[in-house]
Each structure stands twice: as C-alpha cells, then as structure tokens.
Amino acid sequence: VGIASAHFLNGDYPAAEAWAERGEALMQDIFYMVFHPLYGAYATVHSDMYYGRGIVLGILSAARIANSRDPEAGGGDLDRARAYFDALGFATGAVTIEGFRVRALLEIGRADLAEPLAAEVAELAVEKGLPDLVWQMEALRGETLLGLGRQAEAEQAYRRAQVAIEAVSGSLATDR
C-alpha cells in the first residue's frame, strides 16, 4: 500500500496501479483466509487491515482513471471504498481516497469534474475536524479552480489551505 501510494503521489500512475493491484490481491488472499470456515479459526487481522484495503482500492481506482484517461475507469472500486469508509464511520479514509480521485481527474484535464468533488471533500474534512486534510483538500480545490480559470476563488481556497496549515503547525508547538 505504501509503495503504491508513493508512486501515485509522485505521478507514476502505471507503477501505482501495478503495486495497488498486487496489494489488493494480497488483501483478497488475507481476507479469504480470515473468513474461511476452517482457516479463520486460526487467523486474525488487525483493524488497520480494513483501512489499508480501502486505501489500496482508492489508489487502484484513481491510478486507473489517470492511466486510462477515463473519469469512469475506477468508479466502481472508488465508490466501494468510499461506502466502506462511510460504513466504518472513518472520515479520514473517505477524504483521502476522494482526494486521490480529485488528483486523478486533474491529471486527465477534467477540472470540471474535480472541482465539485474537491469542494465536497474539503467541506467533509472541515465538518469532521481533520485540519491535516483540510489544507490538502483546499489546495487541491485551488488547483481545480485555477484549471477552470477562476482565480479569485482559487485564491480563497489557497488561503483556507494556509489557515489550516497554520492551525496544524501551531498545534504542534510544544515550547510555548
């Protein structure tokens, strides 16, 4: 998952897709064993495995969008991953994978599709009190708005990102 994520965030979408496919195959094997009527009695998984599976599905789907240049290419898995995180009540995962989707849409030149999603995800990050993700989503939103030629709105999004960075970095100061 980590390698797939690193490749995705560095814009190497073919490598991200390949590593995410392998990660998902491994997750499927693990979950098959854990829920198997015989082997399941001897195997357990840590709760982080559920988070990891949602993230790997998000990376896989977003990489497929970027690689195929088709905004619908990864929709099914991304929607499943989002539903998965929503069912778990884990907003961090939902915001993260939707950020991957926004990044992929920007990569293929679809700022028109990315902007409403970026706005929704930035608002979700605010509502759920995730300042460490607010700045990232607002920065992505600013990028989408710039792509649409909406400079004044982009500046506002970047300013919200800056405020969130200041809030996060200020909360890290322990020497005051």
Side-chain angles (χ1 to χ4, degrees), residues 1-2 4-5 20 23-24 27-28 31 46-63 74-88 90-101:
V1 174
S5 179
E24 174 56 14
M27 296 279 188
Q28 286 178 10
F31 281 100
H46 191 274
S47 59
D48 283 351
M49 288 293 293
Y50 296 96
Y51 170 76
R53 183 146 198 213
I55 292 295
V56 82
L57 284 173
I59 294 167
L60 177 60
S61 299
D77 284 338
L78 264 167
D79 293 340
R80 276 192 293 278
R82 174 69 187 262
Y84 188 68
F85 285 129
D86 289 345
L88 291 171
F90 191 60
T92 300
V95 170
T96 300
I97 62 165
E98 293 296 359
F100 292 150
R101 187 189 319 231

Short mmCIF file of all heavy atoms in Angstrom, two decimals, residues 1-2 4-5 20 23-24 27-28 31 46-63 74-88 90-101:
data_model
loop_
_atom_site.label_atom_id
_atom_site.label_comp_id
_atom_site.label_asym_id
_atom_site.label_seq_id
_atom_site.Cartn_x
_atom_site.Cartn_y
_atom_site.Cartn_z
N VAL A 1 0.83 -1.18 0.00
CA VAL A 1 0.00 0.00 0.00
C VAL A 1 0.88 1.25 0.00
O VAL A 1 0.63 2.20 -0.74
CB VAL A 1 -0.96 0.01 1.21
CG1 VAL A 1 -1.73 1.31 1.29
CG2 VAL A 1 -1.91 -1.16 1.17
N GLY A 2 1.91 1.24 0.82
CA GLY A 2 2.79 2.39 0.91
C GLY A 2 3.51 2.68 -0.40
O GLY A 2 3.65 3.83 -0.81
N ALA A 4 2.52 1.76 -3.45
CA ALA A 4 1.52 2.21 -4.42
C ALA A 4 1.20 3.68 -4.17
O ALA A 4 1.10 4.47 -5.12
CB ALA A 4 0.26 1.36 -4.32
N SER A 5 1.04 4.05 -2.91
CA SER A 5 0.74 5.43 -2.56
C SER A 5 1.87 6.37 -2.96
O SER A 5 1.64 7.44 -3.52
CB SER A 5 0.48 5.53 -1.05
OG SER A 5 0.20 6.84 -0.67
N ALA A 20 -0.75 -1.32 -6.56
CA ALA A 20 -2.07 -1.40 -5.93
C ALA A 20 -2.79 -2.69 -6.31
O ALA A 20 -3.47 -3.29 -5.46
CB ALA A 20 -2.92 -0.18 -6.29
N GLY A 23 -1.27 -5.26 -4.16
CA GLY A 23 -1.74 -5.06 -2.79
C GLY A 23 -3.16 -5.56 -2.59
O GLY A 23 -3.48 -6.20 -1.60
N GLU A 24 -4.03 -5.29 -3.57
CA GLU A 24 -5.41 -5.76 -3.48
C GLU A 24 -5.48 -7.28 -3.56
O GLU A 24 -6.26 -7.92 -2.84
CB GLU A 24 -6.27 -5.10 -4.56
CG GLU A 24 -7.69 -5.63 -4.65
CD GLU A 24 -8.50 -5.56 -3.35
OE1 GLU A 24 -8.12 -4.89 -2.39
OE2 GLU A 24 -9.56 -6.22 -3.31
N MET A 27 -4.57 -8.51 -0.21
CA MET A 27 -5.67 -8.28 0.72
C MET A 27 -6.78 -9.33 0.52
O MET A 27 -7.33 -9.84 1.49
CB MET A 27 -6.27 -6.89 0.52
CG MET A 27 -5.34 -5.76 0.82
SD MET A 27 -5.25 -5.45 2.58
CE MET A 27 -4.28 -3.96 2.57
N GLN A 28 -7.08 -9.63 -0.74
CA GLN A 28 -8.10 -10.63 -1.00
C GLN A 28 -7.70 -11.99 -0.42
O GLN A 28 -8.53 -12.68 0.18
CB GLN A 28 -8.35 -10.76 -2.50
CG GLN A 28 -9.12 -9.61 -3.07
CD GLN A 28 -9.32 -9.72 -4.58
OE1 GLN A 28 -9.06 -10.75 -5.18
NE2 GLN A 28 -9.80 -8.65 -5.18
N PHE A 31 -8.06 -11.78 3.49
CA PHE A 31 -9.44 -11.78 3.95
C PHE A 31 -10.15 -13.10 3.64
O PHE A 31 -11.00 -13.54 4.41
CB PHE A 31 -10.21 -10.58 3.39
CG PHE A 31 -9.92 -9.31 4.14
CD1 PHE A 31 -9.02 -8.39 3.63
CD2 PHE A 31 -10.53 -9.05 5.35
CE1 PHE A 31 -8.74 -7.22 4.33
CE2 PHE A 31 -10.26 -7.89 6.06
CZ PHE A 31 -9.35 -6.97 5.54
N HIS A 46 -5.53 -7.29 12.10
CA HIS A 46 -5.61 -6.05 12.85
C HIS A 46 -6.61 -5.14 12.15
O HIS A 46 -6.77 -5.19 10.93
CB HIS A 46 -4.21 -5.41 12.91
CG HIS A 46 -4.14 -4.27 13.87
ND1 HIS A 46 -4.48 -2.99 13.52
CD2 HIS A 46 -3.78 -4.23 15.17
CE1 HIS A 46 -4.34 -2.20 14.55
NE2 HIS A 46 -3.90 -2.92 15.57
N SER A 47 -7.23 -4.28 12.91
CA SER A 47 -8.24 -3.39 12.33
C SER A 47 -7.66 -2.48 11.25
O SER A 47 -8.39 -2.03 10.36
CB SER A 47 -8.90 -2.55 13.43
OG SER A 47 -7.93 -1.79 14.11
N ASP A 48 -6.37 -2.20 11.29
CA ASP A 48 -5.74 -1.37 10.25
C ASP A 48 -5.80 -2.02 8.88
O ASP A 48 -5.67 -1.34 7.86
CB ASP A 48 -4.29 -1.07 10.59
CG ASP A 48 -4.15 0.02 11.65
OD1 ASP A 48 -5.17 0.66 11.98
OD2 ASP A 48 -3.03 0.24 12.13
N MET A 49 -6.00 -3.33 8.82
CA MET A 49 -6.11 -4.01 7.52
C MET A 49 -7.35 -3.52 6.77
O MET A 49 -7.32 -3.43 5.54
CB MET A 49 -6.19 -5.52 7.69
CG MET A 49 -4.89 -6.17 8.11
SD MET A 49 -3.63 -6.08 6.83
CE MET A 49 -4.34 -7.13 5.59
N TYR A 50 -8.40 -3.20 7.48
CA TYR A 50 -9.62 -2.70 6.83
C TYR A 50 -9.35 -1.32 6.22
O TYR A 50 -9.75 -1.04 5.09
CB TYR A 50 -10.78 -2.65 7.81
CG TYR A 50 -11.17 -4.01 8.32
CD1 TYR A 50 -10.69 -4.50 9.53
CD2 TYR A 50 -11.99 -4.83 7.56
CE1 TYR A 50 -11.05 -5.77 9.97
CE2 TYR A 50 -12.35 -6.10 8.00
CZ TYR A 50 -11.87 -6.56 9.21
OH TYR A 50 -12.21 -7.81 9.64
N TYR A 51 -8.67 -0.47 6.97
CA TYR A 51 -8.28 0.83 6.47
C TYR A 51 -7.37 0.67 5.24
O TYR A 51 -7.57 1.31 4.21
CB TYR A 51 -7.56 1.61 7.57
CG TYR A 51 -6.90 2.89 7.10
CD1 TYR A 51 -7.66 4.01 6.83
CD2 TYR A 51 -5.52 2.97 6.95
CE1 TYR A 51 -7.07 5.19 6.41
CE2 TYR A 51 -4.93 4.14 6.54
CZ TYR A 51 -5.70 5.25 6.27
OH TYR A 51 -5.10 6.40 5.84
N GLY A 52 -6.39 -0.22 5.35
CA GLY A 52 -5.46 -0.45 4.25
C GLY A 52 -6.16 -0.92 2.99
O GLY A 52 -5.81 -0.51 1.88
N ARG A 53 -7.14 -1.77 3.16
CA ARG A 53 -7.85 -2.27 1.98
C ARG A 53 -8.62 -1.13 1.29
O ARG A 53 -8.62 -1.03 0.07
CB ARG A 53 -8.82 -3.37 2.35
CG ARG A 53 -9.50 -3.94 1.11
CD ARG A 53 -9.78 -5.37 1.23
NE ARG A 53 -10.02 -5.97 -0.07
CZ ARG A 53 -10.85 -6.96 -0.24
NH1 ARG A 53 -11.51 -7.47 0.79
NH2 ARG A 53 -11.02 -7.48 -1.43
N GLY A 54 -9.25 -0.28 2.05
CA GLY A 54 -9.95 0.85 1.46
C GLY A 54 -9.01 1.79 0.74
O GLY A 54 -9.29 2.26 -0.37
N ILE A 55 -7.85 2.04 1.34
CA ILE A 55 -6.87 2.92 0.71
C ILE A 55 -6.33 2.30 -0.57
O ILE A 55 -6.20 2.98 -1.59
CB ILE A 55 -5.71 3.24 1.68
CG1 ILE A 55 -6.21 4.10 2.84
CG2 ILE A 55 -4.55 3.92 0.96
CD1 ILE A 55 -6.70 5.48 2.46
N VAL A 56 -6.03 1.01 -0.55
CA VAL A 56 -5.49 0.38 -1.76
C VAL A 56 -6.53 0.39 -2.88
O VAL A 56 -6.18 0.60 -4.05
CB VAL A 56 -4.92 -1.03 -1.48
CG1 VAL A 56 -5.99 -2.09 -1.45
CG2 VAL A 56 -3.86 -1.40 -2.49
N LEU A 57 -7.79 0.21 -2.55
CA LEU A 57 -8.84 0.31 -3.58
C LEU A 57 -8.92 1.74 -4.14
O LEU A 57 -9.11 1.93 -5.34
CB LEU A 57 -10.20 -0.10 -3.02
CG LEU A 57 -10.44 -1.59 -2.84
CD1 LEU A 57 -11.75 -1.83 -2.11
CD2 LEU A 57 -10.43 -2.31 -4.17
N GLY A 58 -8.76 2.72 -3.27
CA GLY A 58 -8.78 4.11 -3.72
C GLY A 58 -7.61 4.43 -4.64
O GLY A 58 -7.79 5.07 -5.69
N ILE A 59 -6.42 3.97 -4.29
CA ILE A 59 -5.24 4.20 -5.13
C ILE A 59 -5.40 3.47 -6.46
O ILE A 59 -5.12 4.04 -7.53
CB ILE A 59 -3.96 3.74 -4.42
CG1 ILE A 59 -3.68 4.60 -3.20
CG2 ILE A 59 -2.76 3.76 -5.38
CD1 ILE A 59 -2.63 4.03 -2.27
N LEU A 60 -5.83 2.23 -6.41
CA LEU A 60 -6.01 1.43 -7.62
C LEU A 60 -6.98 2.12 -8.58
O LEU A 60 -6.70 2.27 -9.77
CB LEU A 60 -6.50 0.03 -7.26
CG LEU A 60 -6.80 -0.92 -8.41
CD1 LEU A 60 -5.56 -1.17 -9.25
CD2 LEU A 60 -7.34 -2.24 -7.85
N SER A 61 -8.09 2.56 -8.06
CA SER A 61 -9.11 3.20 -8.90
C SER A 61 -8.63 4.52 -9.47
O SER A 61 -8.83 4.80 -10.66
CB SER A 61 -10.37 3.42 -8.08
OG SER A 61 -10.87 2.19 -7.63
N ALA A 62 -8.02 5.33 -8.64
CA ALA A 62 -7.55 6.64 -9.12
C ALA A 62 -6.43 6.46 -10.15
O ALA A 62 -6.38 7.19 -11.14
CB ALA A 62 -7.07 7.48 -7.94
N ALA A 63 -5.55 5.48 -9.95
CA ALA A 63 -4.50 5.22 -10.93
C ALA A 63 -5.10 4.75 -12.25
O ALA A 63 -4.62 5.12 -13.33
CB ALA A 63 -3.52 4.17 -10.38
N GLY A 74 -12.24 4.00 -12.73
CA GLY A 74 -12.08 3.41 -11.42
C GLY A 74 -13.28 3.60 -10.53
O GLY A 74 -13.21 3.32 -9.33
N GLY A 75 -14.37 4.09 -11.08
CA GLY A 75 -15.54 4.47 -10.29
C GLY A 75 -16.07 3.40 -9.37
O GLY A 75 -16.39 3.68 -8.24
N GLY A 76 -16.19 2.20 -9.85
CA GLY A 76 -16.77 1.14 -9.04
C GLY A 76 -15.99 0.88 -7.77
O GLY A 76 -16.56 0.84 -6.67
N ASP A 77 -14.68 0.73 -7.89
CA ASP A 77 -13.85 0.47 -6.72
C ASP A 77 -13.77 1.68 -5.80
O ASP A 77 -13.77 1.55 -4.58
CB ASP A 77 -12.44 0.02 -7.12
CG ASP A 77 -12.41 -1.43 -7.59
OD1 ASP A 77 -13.32 -2.20 -7.24
OD2 ASP A 77 -11.45 -1.78 -8.31
N LEU A 78 -13.69 2.87 -6.39
CA LEU A 78 -13.66 4.08 -5.56
C LEU A 78 -14.96 4.23 -4.78
O LEU A 78 -14.95 4.57 -3.60
CB LEU A 78 -13.42 5.31 -6.42
CG LEU A 78 -11.99 5.78 -6.52
CD1 LEU A 78 -11.83 6.80 -7.63
CD2 LEU A 78 -11.49 6.36 -5.22
N ASP A 79 -16.07 3.98 -5.44
CA ASP A 79 -17.36 4.07 -4.77
C ASP A 79 -17.48 3.02 -3.66
O ASP A 79 -18.01 3.31 -2.59
CB ASP A 79 -18.51 3.94 -5.77
CG ASP A 79 -18.58 5.12 -6.73
OD1 ASP A 79 -18.02 6.20 -6.42
OD2 ASP A 79 -19.19 4.96 -7.80
N ARG A 80 -16.97 1.82 -3.93
CA ARG A 80 -16.99 0.77 -2.89
C ARG A 80 -16.11 1.16 -1.72
O ARG A 80 -16.48 0.96 -0.56
CB ARG A 80 -16.54 -0.57 -3.48
CG ARG A 80 -17.65 -1.33 -4.15
CD ARG A 80 -17.24 -2.77 -4.44
NE ARG A 80 -16.18 -2.84 -5.43
CZ ARG A 80 -16.37 -2.79 -6.75
NH1 ARG A 80 -17.58 -2.67 -7.23
NH2 ARG A 80 -15.36 -2.87 -7.58
N ALA A 81 -14.93 1.71 -2.01
CA ALA A 81 -14.04 2.13 -0.93
C ALA A 81 -14.68 3.25 -0.12
O ALA A 81 -14.60 3.26 1.11
CB ALA A 81 -12.69 2.56 -1.50
N ARG A 82 -15.33 4.19 -0.79
CA ARG A 82 -15.99 5.29 -0.08
C ARG A 82 -17.12 4.75 0.80
O ARG A 82 -17.26 5.14 1.97
CB ARG A 82 -16.53 6.32 -1.09
CG ARG A 82 -17.36 7.45 -0.49
CD ARG A 82 -16.52 8.40 0.35
NE ARG A 82 -17.33 9.38 1.05
CZ ARG A 82 -17.55 10.61 0.65
NH1 ARG A 82 -17.02 11.05 -0.48
NH2 ARG A 82 -18.27 11.43 1.37
N ALA A 83 -17.92 3.84 0.26
CA ALA A 83 -19.00 3.24 1.05
C ALA A 83 -18.43 2.46 2.23
O ALA A 83 -19.02 2.47 3.33
CB ALA A 83 -19.84 2.33 0.17
N TYR A 84 -17.31 1.84 2.01
CA TYR A 84 -16.62 1.08 3.06
C TYR A 84 -16.24 2.01 4.22
O TYR A 84 -16.54 1.73 5.37
CB TYR A 84 -15.39 0.47 2.39
CG TYR A 84 -14.58 -0.51 3.15
CD1 TYR A 84 -15.07 -1.77 3.47
CD2 TYR A 84 -13.27 -0.21 3.51
CE1 TYR A 84 -14.29 -2.69 4.13
CE2 TYR A 84 -12.49 -1.12 4.18
CZ TYR A 84 -13.00 -2.36 4.49
OH TYR A 84 -12.22 -3.26 5.15
N PHE A 85 -15.59 3.13 3.89
CA PHE A 85 -15.19 4.07 4.93
C PHE A 85 -16.40 4.73 5.58
O PHE A 85 -16.40 4.98 6.79
CB PHE A 85 -14.24 5.12 4.37
CG PHE A 85 -12.86 4.60 4.12
CD1 PHE A 85 -12.24 4.79 2.90
CD2 PHE A 85 -12.16 3.91 5.10
CE1 PHE A 85 -10.96 4.32 2.66
CE2 PHE A 85 -10.89 3.43 4.88
CZ PHE A 85 -10.29 3.64 3.65
N ASP A 86 -17.42 5.04 4.79
CA ASP A 86 -18.63 5.63 5.36
C ASP A 86 -19.28 4.66 6.34
O ASP A 86 -19.74 5.07 7.41
CB ASP A 86 -19.61 6.02 4.26
CG ASP A 86 -19.14 7.23 3.45
OD1 ASP A 86 -18.21 7.94 3.90
OD2 ASP A 86 -19.72 7.46 2.37
N ALA A 87 -19.31 3.38 6.00
CA ALA A 87 -19.90 2.37 6.90
C ALA A 87 -19.09 2.24 8.19
O ALA A 87 -19.65 2.02 9.26
CB ALA A 87 -19.99 1.02 6.19
N LEU A 88 -17.76 2.40 8.07
CA LEU A 88 -16.91 2.34 9.26
C LEU A 88 -16.97 3.63 10.07
O LEU A 88 -16.50 3.67 11.20
CB LEU A 88 -15.45 2.09 8.85
CG LEU A 88 -15.10 0.73 8.25
CD1 LEU A 88 -13.68 0.74 7.71
CD2 LEU A 88 -15.27 -0.35 9.30
N PHE A 90 -15.31 6.26 9.20
CA PHE A 90 -13.91 6.69 9.17
C PHE A 90 -13.72 7.76 8.11
O PHE A 90 -13.39 7.48 6.96
CB PHE A 90 -13.01 5.48 8.92
CG PHE A 90 -11.55 5.76 9.15
CD1 PHE A 90 -11.10 6.16 10.39
CD2 PHE A 90 -10.65 5.60 8.12
CE1 PHE A 90 -9.76 6.42 10.60
CE2 PHE A 90 -9.31 5.86 8.32
CZ PHE A 90 -8.85 6.27 9.57
N ALA A 91 -13.97 9.00 8.50
CA ALA A 91 -13.93 10.12 7.55
C ALA A 91 -12.54 10.33 6.96
O ALA A 91 -12.42 10.73 5.80
CB ALA A 91 -14.41 11.39 8.25
N THR A 92 -11.49 10.06 7.72
CA THR A 92 -10.14 10.24 7.20
C THR A 92 -9.92 9.42 5.94
O THR A 92 -9.36 9.91 4.96
CB THR A 92 -9.09 9.86 8.27
OG1 THR A 92 -9.28 10.69 9.41
CG2 THR A 92 -7.68 10.02 7.75
N GLY A 93 -10.37 8.18 5.94
CA GLY A 93 -10.23 7.33 4.76
C GLY A 93 -11.04 7.85 3.60
O GLY A 93 -10.55 7.89 2.46
N ALA A 94 -12.27 8.27 3.86
CA ALA A 94 -13.14 8.79 2.79
C ALA A 94 -12.53 10.04 2.16
O ALA A 94 -12.48 10.17 0.94
CB ALA A 94 -14.54 9.09 3.33
N VAL A 95 -12.04 10.96 2.98
CA VAL A 95 -11.43 12.18 2.46
C VAL A 95 -10.17 11.85 1.66
O VAL A 95 -9.95 12.39 0.58
CB VAL A 95 -11.12 13.17 3.62
CG1 VAL A 95 -10.26 14.33 3.14
CG2 VAL A 95 -12.40 13.67 4.26
N THR A 96 -9.37 10.93 2.17
CA THR A 96 -8.12 10.56 1.49
C THR A 96 -8.37 9.99 0.11
O THR A 96 -7.75 10.42 -0.87
CB THR A 96 -7.32 9.56 2.36
OG1 THR A 96 -7.02 10.16 3.62
CG2 THR A 96 -6.04 9.14 1.67
N ILE A 97 -9.28 9.02 0.00
CA ILE A 97 -9.47 8.40 -1.32
C ILE A 97 -10.16 9.34 -2.29
O ILE A 97 -9.88 9.30 -3.49
CB ILE A 97 -10.22 7.05 -1.23
CG1 ILE A 97 -11.62 7.21 -0.66
CG2 ILE A 97 -9.40 6.04 -0.47
CD1 ILE A 97 -12.50 6.03 -0.87
N GLU A 98 -11.03 10.21 -1.78
CA GLU A 98 -11.65 11.18 -2.68
C GLU A 98 -10.62 12.19 -3.15
O GLU A 98 -10.68 12.69 -4.27
CB GLU A 98 -12.85 11.85 -2.03
CG GLU A 98 -14.01 10.93 -1.78
CD GLU A 98 -14.65 10.32 -3.02
OE1 GLU A 98 -14.23 10.62 -4.16
OE2 GLU A 98 -15.60 9.54 -2.85
N GLY A 99 -9.63 12.48 -2.30
CA GLY A 99 -8.51 13.31 -2.74
C GLY A 99 -7.74 12.65 -3.87
O GLY A 99 -7.30 13.33 -4.81
N PHE A 100 -7.57 11.32 -3.79
CA PHE A 100 -6.93 10.60 -4.89
C PHE A 100 -7.74 10.76 -6.18
O PHE A 100 -7.19 10.95 -7.26
CB PHE A 100 -6.81 9.10 -4.58
CG PHE A 100 -5.84 8.75 -3.48
CD1 PHE A 100 -6.07 7.63 -2.70
CD2 PHE A 100 -4.71 9.50 -3.22
CE1 PHE A 100 -5.19 7.27 -1.69
CE2 PHE A 100 -3.83 9.16 -2.21
CZ PHE A 100 -4.06 8.03 -1.44
N ARG A 101 -9.07 10.67 -6.04
CA ARG A 101 -9.93 10.81 -7.22
C ARG A 101 -9.78 12.22 -7.82
O ARG A 101 -9.67 12.36 -9.05
CB ARG A 101 -11.39 10.54 -6.87
CG ARG A 101 -12.29 10.52 -8.09
CD ARG A 101 -13.78 10.47 -7.81
NE ARG A 101 -14.25 9.63 -6.75
CZ ARG A 101 -15.23 8.72 -6.87
NH1 ARG A 101 -15.80 8.52 -8.03
NH2 ARG A 101 -15.63 8.04 -5.83
#
